[in-house]
Amino acid sequence: MTKALQLYLEGLSYREIERIIGVSHVTVSNWVKEYKISKPNHTDYHPTYKIYNHLELIEFLKNKEVLKGAGMIITELGDKFMLIKWERFKD
């Protein structure tokens, strides 16, 4: 449940969360209502996410250009890792 709520707060939709963690979008919606979670206003961006294995994640993070001006969260999903990324600074 915690991971689903974290993803919701990062801007992912109920259906995106369903696809990522395998919990029904209706269940996620019910959790959001039950705990009175309010999604912050992120109208100027939408986070992107990608699933990596350990070696792919290491290779991705070696490239400093992908880290510039971006916010990221990395979370473990079984034997894989999910990276959520959004642009931190906009002109």
Side-chain angles (χ1 to χ4, degrees):
M1 172 180 50
T2 303
K3 223 176 255 305
L5 294 175
Q6 287 174 328
L7 294 173
Y8 177 75
L9 287 171
E10 288 302 323
L12 276 69
S13 72
Y14 295 137
R15 294 218 184 249
E16 288 172 318
I17 296 167
E18 177 181 50
R19 284 190 292 272
I20 291 168
I21 64 173
V23 173
S24 164
H25 66 279
V26 175
T27 300
V28 176
S29 172
N30 289 338
W31 289 336
V32 168
K33 289 175 191 170
E34 178 181 347
Y35 293 100
K36 298 177 176 83
I37 305 288
S38 297
K39 189 184 278 192
N41 293 330
H42 296 300
T43 57
D44 58 341
Y45 70 90
H46 182 78
T48 58
Y49 61 91
K50 186 154 181 170
I51 308 295
Y52 293 102
N53 67 34
H54 183 254
L55 293 176
E56 291 169 334
L57 181 61
I58 291 170
E59 286 302 312
F60 177 83
L61 293 174
K62 283 182 182 178
N63 182 353
K64 290 184 182 185
E65 286 303 310
V66 299
L67 304 178
K68 274 186 168 177
M72 288 185 229
I73 293 176
I74 300 169
T75 186
E76 187 178 6
L77 290 174
D79 64 341
K80 304 255 190 241
F81 298 89
M82 178 176 57
L83 181 135
I84 303 170
K85 180 180 174 190
W86 63 97
E87 290 183 39
R88 198 182 301 162
F89 305 109
K90 294 254 184 202
D91 291 338

